[in-house]
Amino acid sequence: MISFEQAYDLVLDNLGDFGEVVVPLAKTNGRVLAEPIYADRDFPPFDRATKDGIAIAYGAVQRGKLELKIEGVAAAGSPEKVLVNPDTCIEIMTGAMLPKNTDTVVMYEHLTLKDGFATLEKPVKKGQNIHGRGSDEPEGTMVLQAGIRITAAEIGVLASVGKAMVKVKRNPSLCIVSTGDELVAVDAVPLPHQIRKSNSHTLRAALQDQGLSSTTVHIADDKEATESAIREVLQQYDIVLLSGGVSKGKYDYLPEVFETLGIEKVFHKVRQRPGKPFWFGKHEKSKTTVFAFPGNPGSTFANYHVYFLPWLFHSFGLISNNINVELNESIENTTDLTRFMRVNVAIFKGRLVAHLIEGNGSGDLTSLSKANGFIRLKPNQNYDKGAEVPFIATRKILE
Ligand code: AMP
Ligand code: MG
């Protein structure tokens, strides 16, 4: 059986490539940009007033002119005005083009306006209150690099340079497959030997958080049904996330069905708890990546965050951030397994401190909602209070 480190490296050695698509700007939030973006003109495209007031030729101030006749108004959105007489001024609004022959803007707060004249009440600096043409980015500069995640800030830049359609990384198609005869639908009343399905709902929601939609399929514990269902999903999806049916049980058919269907096993089983019977592989023919998680909700949840999310991020060319947190109590890992322990991480005096959450094993679903992540402990290792350990977040620590 391989170690967590080996399994993690193998997962990242087998990244997916989903290609690129062109989508309307309104659909780009959260997507990965797949083209460099250049300034299509100077930013700002003209000398622009940053205050409401008057535009003047500074020479007037040098000649001692303090009272200037107002010759007109330059509003934001109006074409360039011209100052004809250098001893006069033009009223100007924020965002308006600086009139020709002017070089300085004086804000209303530093003026007195009376009978069509503006009087300068404060010292004036040549060139003040002007956002110079091209001073942010000259035309042709790369303003966004390919490969970054698009957020609200990038959407503003894309809009400014006129990108109505944007090339982004294509989102993979995903199928979530649950397995097990004991499972019934959420709206069913389970018989004493049955339970309601939860993993597919959890996984679908987790994928939604990544902006990904998915289809769900359920397979009974029957070999033929398993084989035909898996054969079908391989043809249709880039990624298949399965839960259950990969352990040593009599009805855990997935590993042999995967083999029958020619899905290449990268590994099966990792020295870890929870989530040990994790099966990971790839179907070369259909280019489908298969993550088969053991069915215990805690195992599925941990493996999704420990392996699938980093795989997804790296497949998109993004970096998944690894952070450490501080233990608020000493912990012993006396097993020869890598342990993922549920914790609640809180900020204490500016540091991230992990509080262990007592869980009742990997089948304990409710304790997952009290945690905001897992800490990772090495096999056979004791940790003192205050020790730093890797943290795998399962929700935002800061809202
Ligand atoms: P398995 O990995 O199929 O042996 O399942 C391990 C445990 O997880 C069993 O108790 C199952 O009933 C439970 N389980 C499997 N799949 C799901 C699911 N989709 N939702 C909730 N529990 C599940
Ligand atoms: Mg099962």
Side-chain angles (χ1 to χ4, degrees):
M1 211 185 306
I2 62 173
S3 66
F4 155 75
E5 285 79 7
Q6 289 168 308
Y8 187 80
D9 287 348
L10 283 168
V11 166
L12 294 191
D13 284 346
N14 287 278
L15 297 178
D17 179 3
F18 321 120
E20 296 161 355
V21 280
V22 176
V23 298
L25 178 63
K27 300 257 183 224
T28 57
N29 197 12
R31 306 289 295 262
V32 179
L33 184 64
E35 59 175 330
I37 301 296
Y38 299 94
D40 67 328
R41 58 208 290 230
D42 287 334
F43 277 84
F46 47 82
D47 289 333
R48 133 181 203 278
T50 62
K51 294 275 166 28
D52 298 317
I54 57 166
I56 61 169
Y58 186 71
V61 178
Q62 285 174 316
R63 287 190 298 278
K65 278 288 292 184
L66 294 182
E67 214 178 80
L68 306 156
K69 187 164 189 283
I70 299 170
E71 291 285 358
V73 183
S78 63
E80 188 182 43
K81 299 268 154 123
V82 182
L83 186 76
V84 180
N85 177 345
D87 285 341
T88 64
C89 69
I90 293 178
E91 274 188 84
I92 191 162
M93 305 301 131
T94 302
M97 210 171 174
L98 195 68
K100 199 165 175 189
N101 304 329
T102 69
D103 55 15
T104 302
V105 171
V106 184
M107 61 177 166
Y108 282 135
E109 291 86 334
H110 293 179
L111 299 170
T112 310
L113 299 189
K114 202 168 169 240
D115 301 332
F117 282 81
T119 307
L120 307 178
E121 303 288 2
K122 294 259 163 77
V124 176
K125 230 174 94 193
K126 187 179 179 183
Q128 69 185 22
N129 302 325
I130 294 165
H131 187 188
R133 173 177 181 159
S135 63
D136 293 349
E137 306 287 352
E139 181 182 335
T141 324
M142 195 200 286
V143 286
L144 296 175
Q145 270 182 10
I148 57 161
R149 173 90 80 182
I150 299 171
T151 68
E154 286 73 32
I155 286 176
V157 177
L158 290 164
S160 300
V161 302
K163 289 294 289 183
M165 300 298 291
V166 186
K167 195 193 275 185
V168 295
K169 295 275 175 83
R170 183 175 74 82
N171 277 340
S173 56
L174 283 126
C175 188
I176 299 168
V177 180
S178 54
T179 67
D181 283 351
E182 74 282 26
L183 301 172
V184 297
V186 60
D187 55 357
V189 178
L191 296 171
H193 55 281
Q194 296 177 323
I195 56 166
R196 293 194 186 92
K197 273 180 242 181
S198 66
N199 286 340
S200 26
H201 297 279
T202 303
L203 290 174
R204 184 168 46 204
L207 290 168
Q208 277 169 358
D209 288 345
Q210 301 304 318
L212 298 174
S213 49
S214 54
T215 306
T216 54
V217 168
H218 183 75
I219 314 182
D221 288 326
D222 172 90
K223 205 166 141 194
E224 274 72 53
T226 303
E227 197 176 313
S228 70
I230 303 292
R231 181 178 286 120
E232 196 155 314
V233 296
L234 284 179
Q235 280 163 19
Q236 292 181 41
Y237 298 95
D238 297 311
I239 301 167
V240 185
L241 298 181
L242 299 104
S243 65
V246 280
S247 307
K248 272 219 157 57
K250 220 174 172 153
Y251 307 105
D252 291 334
Y253 293 121
L254 288 179
E256 57 174 301
V257 166
F258 290 159
E259 199 184 332
T260 309
L261 295 174
I263 307 176
E264 182 206 327
K265 179 176 85 176
V266 177
F267 60 80
H268 184 199
K269 299 196 176 130
V270 186
R271 281 198 299 273
Q272 68 175 65
R273 183 184 297 158
K276 180 163 134 191
F278 173 34
W279 193 104
F280 174 70
K282 233 174 155 177
H283 190 232
E284 279 305 329
K285 222 168 111 204
S286 61
K287 298 265 171 280
T288 304
T289 308
V290 177
F291 291 81
F293 304 132
N296 263 316
S299 308
T300 293
F301 200 64
N303 279 336
Y304 172 89
H305 290 92
V306 168
Y307 297 104
F308 175 73
L309 275 189
W311 178 88
L312 182 73
F313 272 62
H314 286 254
S315 295
F316 275 137
L318 298 168
I319 304 214
S320 56
N321 284 317
N322 299 314
I323 60 167
N324 285 345
V325 294
E326 223 174 277
L327 294 176
N328 86 322
E329 60 184 286
S330 61
I331 305 180
E332 291 182 4
N333 179 10
T334 53
T335 68
D336 60 356
L337 307 167
T338 294
R339 300 288 305 271
F340 297 101
M341 315 274 286
R342 291 149 216 224
V343 291
N344 193 277
V345 164
I347 297 171
F348 178 72
K349 293 187 175 167
R351 301 195 310 270
L352 294 172
V353 177
H355 303 256
L356 270 187
I357 295 196
E358 293 307 323
N360 191 17
S362 47
D364 176 6
L365 189 53
T366 53
S367 73
L368 290 174
S369 87
K370 298 177 193 128
N372 54 14
F374 295 95
I375 50 168
R376 193 178 77 227
L377 304 181
K378 291 189 168 156
N380 301 310
Q381 189 151 326
N382 298 339
Y383 295 84
D384 293 331
K385 178 181 167 150
E388 285 208 356
V389 290
F391 175 63
I392 300 117
T394 55
R395 68 173 87 220
K396 278 189 197 153
I397 301 174
L398 295 172
E399 284 305 331

